[in-house]
Amino acid sequence: MSGVFINISTTTIATTDFTGNAYLATIPIGAQLLGAAACLVPLGRLAQSRGRRSVYIGAALMAAAGSAVLVAGAVRRQFGLLVLGALMQGPSFAVANGFRFVAAEFFTGER
């Protein structure tokens, strides 16, 4: 999941470098958040019907694929691939934000 958070700092720098336009620097992060928001309800329903594990594995695989697209975008210096890769990492970002609730289920309160 840390690759998702590395995206925040690296895509802004890469976008500014590739396009020469600082105003476009936050577009990949916006795409990541859009991907996260778009999949919250479907992933929640999928977790209820098939279990959380399948959602976590699927989100991790999507994040890995998104990371590969981001690397390809960086190597080719293509802004569109940066946006697509960030969008693909959105579901993983959404799932990672829910890990704290799963961890709370295992907390017994005893020390």
Side-chain angles (χ1 to χ4, degrees), residues 62-87:
M62 182 66 89
S67 295
V69 172
L70 283 167
V71 168
V75 169
R76 295 178 181 204
R77 300 180 60 87
Q78 291 186 353
F79 174 66
L81 288 178
L82 293 178
V83 174
L84 178 62
L87 182 67

Side-chain angles (χ1 to χ4, degrees), residues 1-70:
M1 297 297 163
S2 62
V4 174
F5 298 105
I6 292 171
N7 174 13
I8 293 170
S9 60
T10 56
T11 57
T12 55
I13 295 167
T15 297
T16 303
D17 182 47
F18 298 169
T19 65
N21 187 344
Y23 293 111
L24 298 176
T26 58
I27 298 294
I29 303 308
Q32 180 180 355
L33 293 176
L34 179 65
C39 72
L40 280 174
V41 172
L43 287 180
R45 289 183 179 161
L46 186 63
Q48 284 180 338
S49 66
R50 303 229 176 162
R52 288 186 295 219
R53 178 178 282 184
S54 63
V55 171
Y56 294 161
I57 291 171
L61 292 173
M62 182 66 89
S67 295
V69 172
L70 283 167

